[in-house]
Amino acid sequence: MRSITWVLLVGLSLATTSAREPARRVVEVSTTAELIDALREPLRDVTVHLAPGEYVLPPTAGVDHVRTCEGDSIRVPVTTGLIVSGSHVSIRGDAGAITEIVTDANYRIYFKACTDCAVENLRVRGTPADSVADANDAAIVVARGSVRITNCSIEASGAASARLLSPQGGDAICARDGAQLTVEYSELGGSSWGIVLQKGTRALIRNNEIGANGGGGLLAMCDASATIERNHIGGSECGIRATDSSVLNARANIIESVPGTGISVDAHRGPEASVAIRDNVIYRCNLPGIRVTSPGRVSGNLLVENAQKDGTVSVLDVSEGVVVRGNTLYRNRTSDGREDGSNEVFRRAHRKWTQTYRNTPVGVDGAHRFYQSAFLTRYGRWLY
């Protein structure tokens, strides 16, 4: 599931932080019953280590309290696979073999007010038998607390939701209620949305492969704040969307092969969002490649070979007050068949982008499967 280089990079990252972590008790599990028993009560300073294999979890019925964007609390009947709570709790699979959690619960893994918790080296999948309105079904749900997700493969297998601002049923990850979320070096797909952030969530999303999601790659809403760096997002209805007073900092992402807009920011309801969109590649998406109707800055982006389906739409669609500087447009096709951009201008911008990011996961010398992206295949080594 990962190259040797990829695993070594993750291991080095974990090793550099281990000295700062408190001493942990390690609980070894190898069966579903042992896993359920290990997490039956809130834990503190514990690592639950799963032996390689498949853990099929029966859904457990319960009630969750979900806040709306307006702040109202709703009691929602849900089913859960695992509930993880407490502090400094890590759920860890084997980095060298497949460790898989499978369940048809609405919340496959539910981090409930879990502080400084983590899930690492796991594959999580399953399709809820019944999607519950307002529950925000997801493979991993994080409510309050702080959670880091590293080196995981997550597939919610939910049907694509047409209700983009009410994404029930089948997200890979959903964080809410003021949670602090970090997602790194993971693959998210087969979901409604790859990641949904809402209700005051603060998130760092970097170095991930996010693809084949019916709704889109990432949605920030209801006063969420997200830093999104060096991700490869493709094969979804849209790339990144922010709305409802959210704060979005998107930098050096490759967004490609999206039938909708690459990055879209709007104040669909409530106060305006705030954005900084810098050094992203928007490749072969539908126009506009970037759409911003809230205050912010759009700079240094490469918009390449995007196509307009209908009507007259700009490659960059921004409202007054948005600072637009140093973006490069190349071979974007309008409805009348015209293409924009200068070959020499694109070469200079491409050289700068490639030199800046070539040794990161999105670069031509990155260790991840990003190198299989259509943009990097077409242009990745063009200058070298």
Side-chain angles (χ1 to χ4, degrees):
M1 185 170 61
R2 299 289 189 278
S3 67
I4 294 176
T5 306
W6 189 252
V7 173
L8 290 174
L9 284 172
V10 174
L12 179 61
S13 175
L14 295 176
T16 58
T17 61
S18 61
R20 296 190 296 271
E21 296 180 354
R24 294 181 181 234
R25 178 169 61 93
V26 177
V27 178
E28 301 284 352
V29 302
S30 59
T31 68
T32 298
E34 290 175 349
L35 177 59
I36 294 173
D37 187 64
L39 296 169
R40 196 174 301 278
E41 301 291 339
L43 300 174
R44 181 179 177 84
D45 298 335
V46 172
T47 294
V48 180
H49 182 254
L50 283 66
E54 183 180 78
Y55 297 78
V56 181
L57 301 170
T60 301
V63 175
D64 193 19
H65 295 268
V66 179
R67 287 196 303 116
T68 66
C69 288
E70 293 74 24
D72 300 325
S73 181
I74 302 174
R75 286 171 53 89
V76 180
V78 298
T79 56
T80 56
L82 288 176
I83 297 179
V84 186
S85 58
S87 63
H88 299 97
V89 181
S90 177
I91 312 300
R92 184 175 298 173
D94 193 294
I98 294 176
T99 306
E100 186 171 53
I101 289 179
V102 182
T103 177
D104 290 335
N106 300 118
Y107 303 172
R108 272 62 104 203
I109 302 178
Y110 183 19
F111 284 92
K112 186 176 182 180
C114 200
T115 304
D116 291 332
C117 296
V119 56
E120 306 164 14
N121 307 329
L122 289 184
R123 177 181 293 177
V124 183
R125 64 180 177 89
T127 303
D130 297 299
S131 181
V132 180
D134 300 316
N136 302 117
D137 296 356
I140 297 180
V141 176
V142 181
R144 304 183 302 280
S146 52
V147 173
R148 175 171 50 86
I149 300 170
T150 305
N151 198 35
C152 290
S153 176
I154 303 171
E155 181 177 338
S157 301
S161 171
R163 299 163 295 184
L164 297 185
L165 293 177
S166 183
Q168 291 91 17
D171 303 318
I173 299 170
C174 177
R176 54 181 173 82
D177 301 338
Q180 297 182 42
L181 174 71
T182 299
V183 184
E184 300 178 297
Y185 306 107
S186 294
E187 297 179 8
L188 317 176
S191 309
S192 176
W193 285 86
I195 301 175
V196 173
L197 309 171
Q198 54 181 301
K199 306 182 185 89
T201 295
R202 301 294 179 262
L204 172 61
I205 313 298
R206 63 186 178 190
N207 304 332
N208 301 287
E209 178 83 17
I210 305 174
N213 297 293
L218 184 141
L219 173 63
M221 57 188 291
C222 305
D223 195 33
S225 176
T227 296
I228 308 168
E229 299 178 333
R230 302 189 303 270
N231 301 281
H232 178 214
I233 302 173
S236 302
E237 280 298 313
C238 70
I240 298 171
R241 185 175 186 184
T243 188
D244 303 333
S245 310
S246 296
V247 177
L248 174 67
N249 181 359
R251 181 169 179 259
N253 301 283
I254 296 177
I255 302 172
E256 61 184 10
S257 305
V258 169
T261 299
I263 300 177
S264 177
V265 183
D266 61 75
H268 181 80
R269 57 190 176 193
E272 294 177 317
S274 176
V275 296
I277 300 173
R278 176 187 171 194
D279 292 355
N280 300 279
V281 172
I282 312 295
Y283 180 63
R284 292 189 177 178
C285 299
N286 188 39
L287 298 182
I290 297 175
R291 178 177 181 269
V292 179
T293 62
S294 296
R297 183 181 182 92
V298 179
S299 62
N301 301 283
L302 278 66
L303 295 96
V304 181
E305 294 188 27
N306 301 287
Q308 180 179 324
K309 290 182 178 179
D310 303 297
T312 302
V313 182
S314 301
V315 180
L316 278 170
D317 182 11
V318 299
S319 61
E320 292 186 11
V322 177
V323 177
V324 179
R325 185 171 299 168
N327 300 286
T328 300
L329 282 55
Y330 182 64
R331 299 191 66 185
N332 298 287
R333 186 180 296 275
T334 58
S335 58
D336 59 8
R338 293 180 299 172
E339 293 184 350
D340 59 15
S342 158
N343 187 66
E344 183 56 34
V345 170
F346 175 66
R347 286 180 67 91
R348 289 198 301 267
H350 179 273
R351 179 185 294 274
K352 179 180 177 181
W353 189 92
T354 305
Q355 289 176 338
T356 301
Y357 297 108
R358 65 175 300 155
N359 291 317
T360 72
V362 295
V364 294
D365 290 335
H368 198 30
R369 57 183 287 190
F370 290 13
Y371 188 69
Q372 299 177 12
S373 81
F375 175 78
L376 291 178
T377 299
R378 172 70 176 85
Y379 296 107
R381 297 187 181 274
W382 189 35
L383 302 177
Y384 296 93

